Amino acid sequence: MLFSTVLVLGLANLSLSKPLSRRWDDLVEKHAWVQPPRGWVYSSAAPPDHYFDMRIGLKQDKFDTLITTLMETSDPNHEKYGAHLTKEETDALVAPHPDSVEAVEAWLQHHGINIEDAVNRSGGVGWVTVRVSVAQAERMLGTKYGVYHHAGSSESVVRTMSYSLPKELHHYIDVVAPTTYFGTLRSMRTTNFLQPNIKPIESDTKLIFNATVPASCATTITPACLRALYNTAAYVPQATNINQLGVAGYLDEFASHADLQLFFQRFRTDAVGSSFVTTQVNGGGDDESDPGVEADLDIQYTTGISFPTPNVYYSTGGSPPFNPDSQTPTDTNEPYLDWLNFILAQPSIPQTITTSYGDDEQTVPPDYATQVCNLFAQLGARGTTVFFSSGDFGVGGGDCLTNDGTDQRIFQPAFPASCPYVTAVGGTTSINPEVAVDFSGGGFSRLFTQPSYQSTAVDAFVTGLGTQFSGLYNIPRRICQGNGFQVIIDGRVNSVGGTSASSPTVAAIFSLLNDFRIANGKPSLGFINPLLYSTASSGFNDITSGSNPGCGTTGFTAGRGWDPVTGLGTPDFVKLQALV
């Protein structure tokens, strides 16, 4: 038995009071699609003897208390501000109730699954993993699995269009995976693109960076440009023995130490000889002979701004594409869960983390999105600030039609950027003044409601907007430059754009703010959105022009104050230093 000891003891005390027999055939639908998420096509029935790891997300007994604590410790006006939870305190709040464990065990045993083989991969909290065949899963969930193909990534996966659970288990289980979430490590998008139209520069060491940002920064961005634009150049990190900055990597994207050294030689000479650490998660690789654009971009700009803060690159792996002839057990190959369960099981985690990947929110089942979002809330409760790029398709890419069978045209925010417990980062371009870049994602979530700390800022914008775009705005956003970043890839300089460039930049700036707080005996910032919408709102440069067209519309337009394109604006480190 591999559940936590506490839960086992709880089960022993409760089992005698439970009925000896239950109905496991009264199935009630948990989630269903009308049609496959966009880009996925049914190929064939899944072989009944194909095995996979089924993850069962149990309801967390005291999650409401966790969220209350998170909001209190994130509110600069609250007496508990900065009193982040330890791993043990967080685990206690998100542990499932013993009744949940007992019911799930009985269900698994009914279907012939040996409880001794159950694995809980999230440090004993919340997620149970069992190895099952397609035939077993279909009986348990009242469904039929199929093989679906994604032309864009040439990947095939085993998924289902719907699944059900016994009525009793709806009280105890939040989500089962893999079921209706079709996203995979290869099908999800990075938020960067090469820009061959912007001529790269070989070095900026001869440029003079002072109070005036050189004109070259209007088209080509280097660490020196960003340090001057956002006022970090004079700050020297002091808490490098405690403070860390993490980069979450996927898609077999590997960061190159050789490329980083060449990048330092050309664009940050005082950092030459410093490096980063690669942590491999779930079989993630580290083939530096094949560096990735995303990985090199992220690590070069997090280290290029935060030096000498220690940086960690997480290379998260997955299984090979589905082989219909294989009976070899494989992993579910779903984004985020493996990395989140790994990082939350660690006794200490970086104070700042950035991720530059995402999917259209509408392709993510609500039960799955909620469970993943709640895991990000646990990171915030433990004192970590989490950034996600907002996407590179304005208010939406493609035809923006819904996948619920109605084919309505709606704006398409990105997930996990739309999760209320992370901070989404969009992009700007040009200097003096900066302008919202037209590909910057931004808008409103259709899964998550507007948090209270956003009400004042968002309501003012909505009043001016009228009824032009209806919906709940829910992407608390920071922005910074996202165009013409100079990146060394396999030894050569390339120009790269995208909010993938913006997110690591903002993360590095806030890592410096964490360093400042820690060096002065204060805790890390943790979940920053309530802070930014209150006492720190004046620490940003308001961006008042530009828009993010998409879905056949002009999208939102930047203006004075908060707007969905540019959020609160670009960060000014010195101003924020005085406010945090």
Side-chain angles (χ1 to χ4, degrees):
M1 173 65 185
L2 295 179
F3 294 128
S4 69
T5 303
V6 173
L7 295 182
V8 173
L9 293 175
L11 171 59
N13 292 329
L14 288 167
S15 59
L16 294 178
S17 65
K18 296 296 177 181
L20 296 178
S21 63
R22 283 182 164 115
R23 285 195 60 186
W24 298 121
D25 59 351
D26 58 340
L27 298 176
V28 178
E29 186 175 271
K30 182 69 172 171
H31 180 257
W33 292 121
V34 174
Q35 59 194 35
R38 198 164 303 279
W40 292 94
V41 177
Y42 177 81
S43 177
S44 64
D49 55 357
H50 171 67
Y51 278 79
F52 61 86
D53 287 343
M54 176 188 286
R55 291 184 175 89
I56 303 167
L58 304 182
K59 288 187 181 295
Q60 298 164 332
D61 188 32
K62 300 177 181 177
F63 186 75
D64 289 346
T65 302
L66 177 89
I67 295 303
T68 297
T69 303
L70 172 66
M71 301 311 295
E72 290 174 348
T73 59
S74 305
D75 180 356
N77 296 312
H78 198 280
E79 62 182 3
K80 292 184 180 179
Y81 180 62
H84 307 307
L85 301 180
T86 64
K87 178 185 183 300
E88 293 72 23
E89 291 169 336
T90 302
D91 287 351
L93 293 177
V94 300
H97 191 280
D99 285 357
S100 301
V101 178
E102 191 275 337
V104 171
E105 283 191 350
W107 177 57
L108 294 175
Q109 288 176 323
H110 172 77
H111 286 283
I113 295 173
N114 186 351
I115 302 303
E116 297 297 327
D117 294 333
V119 178
N120 200 324
R121 292 184 174 176
S122 56
V125 180
W127 287 87
V128 176
T129 301
V130 293
R131 187 154 290 159
V132 297
S133 67
V134 165
Q136 282 179 301
E138 289 180 343
R139 289 192 297 270
M140 296 168 70
L141 304 176
T143 189
K144 288 291 182 182
Y145 276 83
V147 180
Y148 292 82
H149 183 71
H150 188 266
S153 63
S154 299
E155 185 167 28
S156 294
V157 296
V158 174
R159 295 293 188 271
T160 180
M161 289 290 292
S162 67
Y163 76 101
S164 301
L165 290 170
K167 184 177 180 180
E168 178 183 347
L169 293 186
H170 280 252
H171 301 291
Y172 301 129
I173 294 177
D174 278 330
V175 66
V176 178
T179 51
T180 55
Y181 179 41
F182 282 62
T184 69
L185 291 175
R186 291 180 178 84
S187 67
M188 68 180 182
R189 294 193 297 257
T190 60
T191 49
N192 75 70
F193 46 89
L194 293 171
Q195 297 179 304
N197 58 309
I198 299 178
K199 183 179 179 180
I201 60 175
E202 292 303 313
S203 172
D204 67 354
T205 56
K206 294 182 180 180
L207 295 176
I208 298 174
F209 291 85
N210 46 39
T212 302
V213 181
S216 63
C217 296
T219 54
T220 54
I221 291 293
T222 67
C225 290
L226 298 170
R227 296 174 72 208
L229 274 168
Y230 304 132
N231 226 352
T232 69
Y235 184 74
V236 178
Q238 303 294 317
T240 55
N241 61 323
I242 298 175
N243 191 42
Q244 287 187 314
L245 173 54
V247 176
Y250 302 93
L251 290 172
D252 290 332
E253 287 266 350
F254 310 125
S256 167
H257 287 80
D259 283 347
L260 180 63
Q261 291 309 308
L262 186 56
F263 180 80
F264 285 156
Q265 290 169 19
R266 298 187 179 186
F267 302 115
R268 181 90 200 246
T269 56
D270 60 327
V272 170
S274 65
S275 189
F276 63 94
V277 173
T278 296
T279 297
Q280 294 166 269
V281 180
N282 191 39
D286 189 22
D287 182 5
E288 296 194 25
S289 66
D290 184 26
V293 176
E294 185 63 60
D296 272 353
L297 165 64
D298 287 355
I299 206 67
Q300 287 172 22
Y301 278 86
T302 54
T303 57
I305 296 171
S306 70
F307 170 79
T309 301
N311 277 233
V312 182
Y313 182 80
Y314 296 95
S315 177
T316 303
S319 68
F322 170 66
N323 179 354
D325 295 323
S326 172
Q327 296 186 48
T328 303
T330 61
D331 192 72
T332 57
N333 199 25
E334 295 189 2
Y336 316 122
L337 278 183
D338 288 313
W339 181 81
L340 280 165
N341 285 334
F342 169 83
I343 200 73
L344 287 168
Q346 306 308 305
S348 62
I349 52 182
Q351 289 81 358
T352 312
I353 294 173
T354 177
T355 308
S356 298
Y357 299 84
D359 285 312
D360 286 346
E361 186 187 67
Q362 73 162 349
T363 68
V364 186
D367 54 353
Y368 185 94
T370 300
Q371 193 75 354
V372 169
C373 189
N374 289 348
L375 292 172
F376 285 117
Q378 291 184 45
L379 286 175
R382 289 178 60 180
T384 292
T385 308
V386 182
F387 293 96
F388 268 87
S389 52
S390 66
D392 294 342
F393 296 92
V395 292
D399 58 19
C400 297
L401 297 180
T402 58
N403 60 356
D404 59 2
T406 63
D407 284 342
Q408 298 180 67
R409 191 181 306 277
I410 62 172
F411 292 169
Q412 299 289 342
F415 178 83
S418 62
C419 168
Y421 306 124
V422 307
T423 303
V425 184
T428 61
T429 189
S430 192
I431 58 172
N432 300 322
E434 291 182 84
V435 177
V437 70
D438 59 6
F439 56 73
S440 186
F444 51 87
S445 170
R446 291 183 176 269
L447 288 182
F448 303 105
T449 57
Q450 176 186 308
S452 58
Y453 57 76
Q454 269 194 314
S455 297
T456 301
V458 174
D459 290 351
F461 177 82
V462 172
T463 299
L465 187 65
T467 60
Q468 184 180 3
F469 304 124
S470 61
L472 293 175
Y473 297 88
N474 194 48
I475 302 186
R477 304 185 60 237
R478 264 33 53 224
I479 58 169
C480 75
Q481 289 285 323
N483 217 34
F485 276 56
Q486 302 303 286
V487 182
I488 304 288
I489 306 167
D490 202 16
R492 306 180 73 171
V493 185
N494 292 264
S495 293
V496 180
T499 53
S500 276
S502 308
S503 186
T505 297
V506 171
I509 293 168
F510 275 83
S511 180
L512 294 179
L513 290 169
N514 272 327
D515 178 277
F516 173 70
R517 282 180 58 86
I518 294 169
N520 283 278
K522 297 180 179 180
S524 60
L525 289 166
F527 177 48
I528 59 171
N529 294 350
L531 168 71
L532 302 186
Y533 278 85
S534 56
T535 58
S537 61
S538 61
F540 294 85
N541 309 306
D542 193 15
I543 307 300
T544 59
S545 60
S547 62
N548 63 343
C551 301
T553 74
T554 58
F556 296 107
T557 301
R560 291 177 60 85
W562 185 92
D563 58 71
V565 193
T566 66
L568 294 170
T570 58
D572 184 313
F573 177 78
V574 172
K575 289 181 181 178
L576 287 168
Q577 214 179 348
L579 295 170
V580 304

